[in-house]
Amino acid sequence: MMHARRAVPVGRSGPKHVTCPVCGYAFRASHVGTYVTVGRESDFCPKIPGRPSDGARLIRNGVTMCPACSFAAGEDFGDLYLSFDERYDAEARLEEDGLLRVFRSNSPPWLAFHAAEICGKARGFRSRELGDLCLRASWVCRKERERPFESTFQLRAVRHFLRSLQDENLVGRELSVTAYLVGELNRRLGNHREALNWYVNAGRTTEGDPRVAWLDRLIDRQTKLAEEQAA
Ligand SMILES: [Zn+2]
């Protein structure tokens, strides 16, 4: 049924030659303009028709990574301007990173998100955005059946989201969704009590707003699930 499917624009289309804003290396970025989803899982991971590894690749293509220095970003490289300090900081962080050193040569699909998180720190991203990159890395790991890495990125996402809830004055939908995700990721990590507390917190933030009624329903459903799992 085509109407149940939704094309998710990622803001770019067609193959393209790009130049790395950090090291100047020119390469052809592989990416997709749109992909089709058939709903989302309870941590908002898109369900994509076909093999899970194909889905992982489509999600992964939301980030461009330089094959020479591993600079990575969700934005089009052509639209990026990095200050001298940001460039210097990104370069240093990428060089020092242990995971990149180990995995650079075989470049698993989650690596681009990891690199984008490192570069996001150098570029002064908000914790909310860093958490989102880690969340997307965990989706890719799940589709690739990389369980330990999935948990690693879920945990990192939780830490960024908690910092965001504490420091970044989130409001409205973003506040509710972030609090919910702290609960949901804790549930997936096996911390059921913690999950239940955060579902309650998330429910308080929606205050019966009809625009987030879908989230209230999701919170109810996942609360029941966490209660069963905690028992
Ligand atoms: Zn580069």
Side-chain angles (χ1 to χ4, degrees):
M1 294 293 285
M2 286 310 289
H3 68 260
R5 298 184 167 196
R6 206 155 61 88
V8 179
V10 294
R12 295 174 299 185
S13 61
K16 198 171 173 184
H17 288 85
V18 296
T19 303
C20 174
V22 167
C23 74
Y25 184 76
F27 62 100
R28 223 175 104 126
S30 64
H31 55 246
V32 286
T34 59
Y35 60 82
V36 164
T37 64
V38 284
R40 294 198 175 247
E41 295 178 51
S42 55
D43 64 348
F44 308 127
C45 173
K47 297 178 187 172
I48 300 170
R51 289 183 311 178
S53 58
D54 293 337
R57 207 140 299 133
L58 289 170
I59 296 172
R60 182 251 170 268
N61 286 347
V63 165
T64 306
M65 180 165 69
C66 169
C69 74
S70 302
F71 175 80
E75 303 100 313
D76 196 312
F77 276 17
D79 299 336
L80 279 184
Y81 172 78
L82 267 67
S83 69
F84 176 81
D85 286 346
E86 285 173 338
R87 245 175 73 179
Y88 187 80
D89 193 8
E91 221 168 23
R93 285 172 187 265
L94 291 167
E95 265 168 35
E96 283 161 18
D97 188 72
L99 271 183
L100 274 173
R101 203 170 299 152
V102 175
F103 288 100
R104 187 176 269 146
S105 55
N106 69 337
S107 200
W110 50 263
L111 196 66
F113 290 101
H114 172 68
E117 183 203 7
I118 294 171
C119 298
K121 285 179 186 163
R123 297 168 62 203
F125 277 22
R126 296 158 73 222
S127 297
R128 183 62 183 75
E129 295 168 276
L130 296 173
D132 194 58
L133 288 166
C134 293
L135 177 64
R136 289 196 280 158
S138 78
W139 296 343
V140 168
C141 293
R142 182 152 78 246
K143 289 190 189 291
E144 291 282 347
R145 299 184 205 288
E146 295 267 17
R147 204 53 194 270
F149 282 110
E150 181 187 350
S151 301
T152 299
F153 284 113
Q154 285 170 333
L155 197 58
R156 271 207 236 166
V158 166
R159 288 187 186 139
H160 285 306
F161 287 153
L162 285 173
R163 202 164 304 141
S164 173
L165 287 163
Q166 201 184 326
D167 301 338
E168 292 175 345
N169 298 317
L170 303 182
V171 292
R173 185 183 186 275
E174 193 177 39
L175 171 63
S176 305
V177 166
T178 306
Y180 164 76
L181 278 171
V182 171
E184 178 58 17
L185 293 175
N186 265 300
R187 188 191 65 76
R188 287 169 179 266
L189 287 162
N191 308 323
H192 302 116
R193 291 285 149 207
E194 197 66 12
L196 287 166
N197 287 338
W198 278 98
Y199 292 143
V200 171
N201 290 341
R204 283 193 186 125
T205 67
T206 65
E207 294 171 333
D209 183 345
R211 286 169 300 178
V212 284
W214 62 272
L215 186 60
D216 280 325
R217 286 193 296 274
L218 191 55
I219 291 168
D220 285 346
R221 206 180 73 198
Q222 297 310 100
T223 298
K224 289 193 187 88
L225 187 59
E227 278 167 352
E228 284 166 20
Q229 289 171 328

